[in-house]
Amino acid sequence: MIYTAYELFWLFFIYSFLGWCLEVVYAVADRKRLINRGFLNGMICPVYGFSMVFMLIFMDSLKREWFYLFLGCLIVGTVTELLTGLAMEKLFHLRLWDYSGRKFQAGGYICAATSIIWGVLGIIVMKFLNPLLLLVIRESLWMPGIICLIILCTLLVIDTVTTTAALMKLKNQNPAFLEIADGLNQASQSL
């Protein structure tokens, strides 16, 4: 299936938000308290958005073959998670997750159990969730959708810049960055 850029942007934001929700629920179950999981202050985990969009683009031809779809989604999700983990540590000296204590792990960045979850999530998304989301996206009014995407992209850029600046210790030089990052964090916590 060929996706339009409009559809891919919407799917990226939807899956990034759903991934953030999944991470928050996991953190509540694991630590018994609400934690804003992820790199950004907003309610988004881009690793989920990118993983799912890559799966949709590259694994679409495997939709009828459950095993190969599972395997392909497992590989795409695991590679995306590995590259994200390596980049976060290299660029920001930050480790958002660590699988070191688990069996069949590699450097603490990936592990077999999480890879299997990526495969299962990929099947659920490709077979069941994505067709419903595409129907909603395609039936929605285009102009309000574009306006919402522009707003979401702008917020994502602001969140990424302020978070990156904070991590690179630039926030002390410019109090506006700190104020924007705090505002995004408060909004995320209240939601």
Side-chain angles (χ1 to χ4, degrees), residues 111-135:
C111 72
T114 306
S115 295
I116 290 169
I117 291 170
W118 278 116
V120 171
L121 282 175
I123 287 177
I124 292 168
V125 165
M126 300 280 294
K127 291 286 213 177
F128 308 108
L129 184 57
N130 204 60
L132 295 172
L133 290 175
L134 276 178
L135 184 66

Side-chain angles (χ1 to χ4, degrees), residues 91-111:
L91 295 172
F92 304 112
H93 308 290
L94 181 66
R95 244 187 173 187
L96 296 175
W97 62 88
D98 189 359
Y99 300 128
S100 295
R102 298 197 181 175
K103 291 182 179 180
F104 309 111
Q105 55 87 22
Y109 298 110
I110 56 173
C111 72

Side-chain angles (χ1 to χ4, degrees), residues 16 24 33 46-47 57 67 71-72 89 116 119-120 123 151 156-157 160 164 179 181 189:
S16 293
V24 168
R33 63 186 178 107
V47 68
I57 292 170
F67 176 74
L71 195 59
E89 188 156 5
I116 290 169
V120 171
I123 287 177
I151 292 168
L156 178 60
V157 168
T160 303
T164 302
E179 192 174 321
Q189 291 296 332

Side-chain angles (χ1 to χ4, degrees), residues 38-188:
F39 171 68
L40 301 173
N41 290 308
M43 299 171 299
I44 186 172
C45 280
V47 68
Y48 286 91
F50 284 119
S51 293
M52 292 305 166
V53 166
F54 292 152
M55 287 177 198
L56 294 171
I57 292 170
F58 298 117
M59 300 297 128
D60 191 66
S61 62
L62 299 176
K63 273 201 283 196
R64 288 178 178 70
E65 302 290 333
W66 286 74
F67 176 74
Y68 294 114
L69 177 62
F70 170 79
L71 195 59
C73 291
L74 178 147
I75 291 168
V76 168
T78 301
V79 168
T80 305
E81 186 173 38
L82 174 64
L83 294 176
T84 301
L86 288 169
M88 296 299 289
E89 188 156 5
K90 184 76 172 166
L91 295 172
F92 304 112
H93 308 290
L94 181 66
R95 244 187 173 187
L96 296 175
W97 62 88
D98 189 359
Y99 300 128
S100 295
R102 298 197 181 175
K103 291 182 179 180
F104 309 111
Q105 55 87 22
Y109 298 110
I110 56 173
C111 72
T114 306
S115 295
I116 290 169
I117 291 170
W118 278 116
V120 171
L121 282 175
I123 287 177
I124 292 168
V125 165
M126 300 280 294
K127 291 286 213 177
F128 308 108
L129 184 57
N130 204 60
L132 295 172
L133 290 175
L134 276 178
L135 184 66
V136 171
I137 292 168
R138 290 176 178 162
E139 295 298 319
S140 299
L141 295 174
W142 191 77
M143 188 52 77
I146 287 290
I147 292 169
C148 286
L149 277 179
I150 290 169
I151 292 168
L152 288 171
C153 286
T154 303
L155 290 172
L156 178 60
V157 168
I158 290 169
D159 194 1
T160 303
V161 168
T162 57
T163 302
T164 302
L167 287 172
M168 297 182 105
K169 308 289 190 245
L170 294 176
K171 68 180 182 182
N172 295 331
Q173 295 174 5
N174 191 344
F177 281 142
L178 181 59
E179 192 174 321
I180 292 169
D182 285 343
L184 289 169
N185 195 22
Q186 287 176 3
S188 175

